[in-house]
Amino acid sequence: MVEVIHDVACTVCGCVCDDLTLHVTGGRINVAERACSLSEPWLLEQTDASVVSTQVEGKKVALEVAVRSAAEILRESRAPLVYGLSSSSTPGQRAACRLADQLGATIDTTCHAPSVMALQAVGESTSTLGEVRHRSDVVVYWGSNPMKSHPRHVERYVDAPGMFVPGGRRDRHVVVVDVERTATAEIADRFVQVEPGSDFEVLWALRAAVQGVELHENSIGGVPRADLLAFAERLKTAQYGALFFGLGLTRHGVPKANVEALLRLTTDLNAHTRCTAHRMRTAGDMAGADSVLCWQTGFPFSVSFSRGYPRYNPGEYTANTLLESGEVDAAILVGSEGVGKLSRAAQAQLKSIPVVVLDSPGAKTCWTPAVHFTTAVYGIHRPGTAYRMDEVPIPLRKVLDSSLPSDEEVLAAIGHSIAAQS
Ligand code: SF4
């Protein structure tokens, strides 16, 4: 018997498309309507994962034994680290925060710190993606190739007709700014190729042009002056402009300064028209991790509870820095996907200390952690909430039955066990 489930949200990228229809039979998803090239293989490989798998030092043990071992490690730790969170969901992120508070630990996420710090410094003119769809007549992708990284972004927010842009793609002018011609550049009306490491100069020149300041150089960052002036004019004369920026903007130069320049350009454009800036968030619920940490601690990442109250200091309390300097003696990873983002020295340190890992079925770490839990996937095995790239919370539905515990349940059980052992 095939069960057809409508309006399912996908968590594979920051678009969190919530219009998928899944056909489920025999504990598997067999058909995923409206899934894109990124999400379809992932959805079709999900199973009901009914075998609970918990390990201590690589050996299978009962869940309660693993919980007790994890609690012992964390209780004896003097400087624990809670890290990851982007593959979780609001309930798991909240539980991780509670455990960090209980332990006096440092908690850090895999979020894109330069972007968050830039918007803390200069503010952000933003909106929901719905507003972009219904109002924007100029869309810019800067350092982002959504045709590859967010395959349905163009379909949903550029091609789709909106209330004030009834012709959809026909009524919109699309610009791609990047260091090389990408798949998204192929479908754009204008491609602006910048030299690697020149984003800041180009953004600053655009700011000058938008403010009517004369440009003297013939070419800035590889972009001819005439093209820059035409681009600035198109942005100023838009009814509503939307600037989407991706990791390409932070790959060269000073990442935070580049994002700040783009956010300041957006602010400048609001003297002439309505313009908004948006981060092209990548895989996982990073927006959720930032948001949950913000409403639990007041800060989005790099938070230390070592003095019994939350303190925020990017750099000092960043997971990578703490591990590199040997200031962590035990860690709990809520999803191990962030390990690859750590430096080699930080990864080596992580492998030398007791680590508790909570991961989804099929995820593998490149070493054997002290304790390993396989946990349910939100939006597949459990309901939850994921924050879309515009920070709109989207409800996640359960589509497959599973006896796996959620990371929220495992984290809460570890917390109770630590309290009982103390
Ligand atoms: S664009 Fe992103 S959220 Fe939408 S279906 Fe594809 S992977 Fe999922």
Side-chain angles (χ1 to χ4, degrees):
M1 167 110 173
V2 178
E3 187 187 359
V4 179
I5 308 171
H6 297 282
D7 301 326
V8 176
C10 166
T11 56
V12 176
C13 83
C15 289
V16 195
C17 302
D18 56 353
D19 59 351
L20 274 59
T21 298
L22 304 183
H23 297 224
V24 175
T25 173
R28 292 196 81 106
I29 300 164
N30 296 305
V31 177
E33 293 176 26
R34 284 185 286 282
C36 70
S37 55
L38 275 186
S39 60
E40 189 176 32
W42 183 79
L43 286 165
L44 298 190
E45 76 182 17
Q46 299 302 315
T47 66
D48 53 7
S50 51
V51 179
V52 177
S53 167
T54 46
Q55 298 181 352
V56 173
E57 303 297 350
K59 294 199 178 73
K60 284 195 176 176
V61 295
L63 180 63
E64 303 71 39
V65 176
V67 165
R68 265 201 311 279
S69 298
E72 272 166 30
I73 289 169
L74 295 168
R75 191 172 57 86
E76 283 167 17
S77 166
R78 295 181 60 211
L81 169 71
V82 180
Y83 179 58
L85 277 67
S86 66
S87 64
S88 185
S89 173
T90 302
Q93 290 152 350
R94 195 168 37 205
C97 209
R98 192 179 304 125
L99 183 63
D101 191 359
Q102 179 183 358
L103 293 168
T106 298
I107 183 166
D108 195 19
T109 71
T110 53
C111 82
H112 195 234
S115 301
V116 179
M117 288 160 67
L119 74 90
Q120 285 174 334
V122 301
E124 185 184 33
S125 307
T126 192
S127 71
T128 63
L129 291 175
E131 196 174 314
V132 170
R133 173 183 162 181
H134 287 295
R135 293 181 181 276
S136 68
D137 61 336
V138 173
V139 174
V140 178
Y141 291 107
W142 196 303
S144 173
N145 181 13
M147 296 301 283
K148 198 165 166 220
S149 59
H150 302 72
R152 293 189 62 205
H153 195 274
V154 170
E155 169 207 316
R156 298 189 79 199
Y157 305 111
V158 174
D159 293 348
M163 195 179 293
F164 300 100
V165 270
R169 175 69 181 88
R170 256 186 305 129
D171 290 347
R172 289 187 232 264
H173 184 76
V174 178
V175 184
V176 168
V177 185
D178 219 320
V179 294
E180 60 183 9
R181 187 170 273 277
T182 60
T184 311
E186 294 299 331
I187 56 117
D189 299 297
R190 182 193 296 262
F191 172 53
V192 180
Q193 186 160 11
V194 298
E195 286 169 357
S198 302
D199 295 272
F200 183 86
E201 285 79 0
V202 174
L203 283 162
W204 223 251
L206 274 174
R207 289 193 66 204
V210 165
Q211 292 174 28
V213 177
E214 200 177 335
L215 302 178
H216 297 290
E217 289 82 2
N218 289 330
S219 165
I220 296 153
V223 185
R225 180 174 55 197
D227 290 0
L228 264 178
L229 292 175
F231 184 16
E233 193 58 25
R234 191 67 191 86
L235 289 169
K236 275 169 70 174
T237 54
Q239 293 289 325
Y240 186 115
L243 311 186
F244 291 95
F245 62 96
L247 291 177
L249 180 60
T250 56
R251 212 157 275 150
H252 307 280
V254 181
K256 177 172 168 274
N258 291 350
V259 178
E260 264 188 43
L262 186 133
L263 296 176
R264 286 186 193 275
L265 171 66
T266 312
T267 304
D268 295 341
L269 285 165
N270 275 282
H272 303 274
T273 182
R274 174 80 173 121
C275 187
T276 54
H278 309 261
R279 276 176 284 170
M280 292 292 285
R281 310 245 195 176
T282 50
D285 188 21
M286 284 191 207
D290 292 0
S291 299
V292 170
L293 248 71
C294 265
W295 49 258
Q296 292 272 297
T297 71
F299 308 110
F301 61 96
S302 299
V303 181
S304 169
F305 285 101
S306 59
R307 288 197 189 156
Y309 55 88
R311 288 181 299 151
Y312 172 61
N313 196 0
E316 185 181 1
Y317 303 140
T318 299
N320 198 70
T321 313
L322 289 171
L323 284 164
E324 276 184 348
S325 56
E327 292 179 57
V328 175
D329 63 359
I332 178 161
L333 306 183
V334 184
S336 64
E337 68 287 342
V339 174
K341 296 185 177 177
L342 299 170
S343 68
R344 278 181 185 211
Q347 287 188 34
Q349 175 65 11
L350 193 64
K351 289 170 194 168
S352 72
I353 59 174
V355 178
V356 179
V357 175
L358 281 67
D359 242 338
S360 52
K364 285 195 172 52
T365 50
C366 55
W367 84 109
T368 305
V371 185
H372 186 279
F373 296 91
T374 303
T375 52
V377 180
Y378 291 101
I380 298 290
H381 306 126
R382 293 297 178 109
T385 306
Y387 282 67
R388 212 166 56 183
M389 63 168 69
D390 55 355
E391 307 204 355
V392 170
I394 306 288
L396 304 179
R397 308 179 63 169
K398 185 188 94 166
V399 294
L400 296 176
D401 289 324
S402 172
S403 48
L404 290 178
S406 68
D407 57 7
E408 179 196 19
E409 289 161 356
V410 172
L411 292 165
I414 293 172
H416 289 141
S417 184
I418 292 170
Q421 288 175 20
S422 301

